[in-house]
Amino acid sequence: MDITKITRPARKLLPLKYCGAVIVAAGSASRMGGIDKVMAQLGGKPMIQRTVERFQNCDAVSEIVVVTREDLIQSITGLCRGMSKVQAVVAGGASRQESVHLGLNALSEKVKLAAIHDGARPLVTWQVIDRVIRAANTYGAAAPAVPVKDTIKVVTGGVVKETPDRASLFAVQTPQVFDYDLLRGALAKAKQEGLQVTDDCSAVEQMGMKVKIVEGDERNLKVTTPMDLKIAQMLLEEME
């Protein structure tokens, strides 16, 4: 038998579910040396505006909610004027988990997939957004990640306890995308049990749900320090 003539049937693509994005930008920016990173200029625009524009320009996203500090609601609402997908700009909570919860509440009843993104990741591409949404559409939970370049040490009391195999380590980015009801349930369970999770995937993992990892992008950095902002500026110039 000529094996070159044997073809596997193409996997049937599921219809893409209605996706709403929650962009979380309610932090205090304590490591920015006095710079308000949400409104920091990046290529002539406030960083949060660039972040929201990335989701506005992705066809897989149907609506957007921005979660920010109370004092920035009016300013960000003005920046989002003209972006048809932005449904609301709402105040965040005392923690990231609470801010995500408040953002989910502001999405419409049509939302079946929820994409949670850090407002401080302004260089995410529409390709990464689309890729994660489509993976979550199939698997129920997905996130982008890039391989870790440095050797990682597990340290306790200033002493190395373990050196994990670098080949199995990935740096997870956002957007992280989930079945809407799954994420709501996972966050409620984490709150009930008093768990403080570092990202939304962690909440879902606590319920035993597997998260599909897709290819991220090294340019999708999170602006946390003034140096990050300078790097983001250089990357933006290369991308435009």
Side-chain angles (χ1 to χ4, degrees):
M1 180 182 295
D2 184 356
I3 61 173
T4 62
K5 295 182 179 179
I6 300 176
T7 58
R8 295 181 179 178
R11 186 171 185 175
K12 185 177 180 181
L13 295 177
L14 298 173
L16 192 59
K17 298 173 185 174
Y18 189 98
C19 180
V22 174
I23 298 176
V24 185
S28 61
S30 58
R31 287 177 282 179
M32 284 296 292
I35 300 172
D36 189 342
K37 69 179 180 182
V38 175
M39 302 299 288
Q41 290 292 305
L42 185 60
K45 294 181 180 180
M47 184 167 64
I48 187 61
Q49 182 179 353
R50 289 201 173 272
T51 303
V52 177
E53 285 176 346
R54 300 286 174 148
F55 285 80
Q56 172 71 28
N57 295 332
C58 180
D59 290 342
V61 175
S62 296
E63 63 180 69
I64 302 167
V65 166
V66 182
V67 184
T68 190
R69 304 195 313 264
E70 186 80 45
D71 61 298
L72 291 178
I73 290 178
Q74 186 174 352
S75 297
I76 293 178
T77 299
L79 292 173
C80 293
R81 193 167 290 120
M83 296 191 209
S84 59
K85 295 179 183 179
V86 178
Q87 301 299 302
V89 179
V90 300
S95 66
R96 187 181 187 282
Q97 281 176 245
E98 187 177 349
S99 292
V100 171
H101 175 74
L102 291 168
L104 291 173
N105 286 347
L107 292 172
S108 75
E109 294 182 355
K110 294 185 288 185
V111 170
K112 302 301 180 185
L113 291 176
I116 313 301
H117 187 67
D118 298 321
R121 292 185 187 268
L123 302 184
V124 63
T125 64
W126 73 263
Q127 290 94 334
V128 169
I129 300 170
D130 183 87
R131 189 153 58 234
V132 185
I133 291 173
R134 293 184 186 278
N137 193 63
T138 299
Y139 296 96
V146 293
V148 169
K149 294 179 179 179
D150 297 324
T151 297
I152 304 299
K153 302 287 186 180
V154 178
V155 178
T156 303
V159 178
V160 174
K161 294 296 183 182
E162 182 183 355
T163 304
D165 179 8
R166 189 172 63 187
S168 66
L169 298 176
F170 288 79
V172 179
Q173 304 175 333
T174 66
Q176 298 177 5
V177 187
F178 310 89
D179 174 89
Y180 177 85
D181 291 331
L182 170 67
L183 181 56
R184 284 290 299 266
L187 291 175
K189 187 173 187 293
K191 182 178 180 180
Q192 182 181 10
E193 297 180 357
L195 300 175
Q196 289 295 321
V197 294
T198 56
D199 70 347
D200 304 292
C201 284
S202 299
V204 170
E205 291 161 20
Q206 292 286 344
M207 296 182 67
M209 181 72 180
K210 293 182 179 180
V211 178
K212 178 67 174 176
I213 294 298
V214 303
E215 182 184 0
D217 189 324
E218 290 185 353
R219 297 171 298 181
N220 184 21
L221 84 165
K222 184 177 182 181
V223 176
T224 305
T225 66
M227 180 61 72
D228 295 332
L229 187 60
K230 292 179 181 178
I231 294 171
Q233 181 62 52
M234 290 187 291
L235 290 172
L236 178 64
E237 290 171 1
E238 290 182 358
M239 295 170 73
E240 291 188 333

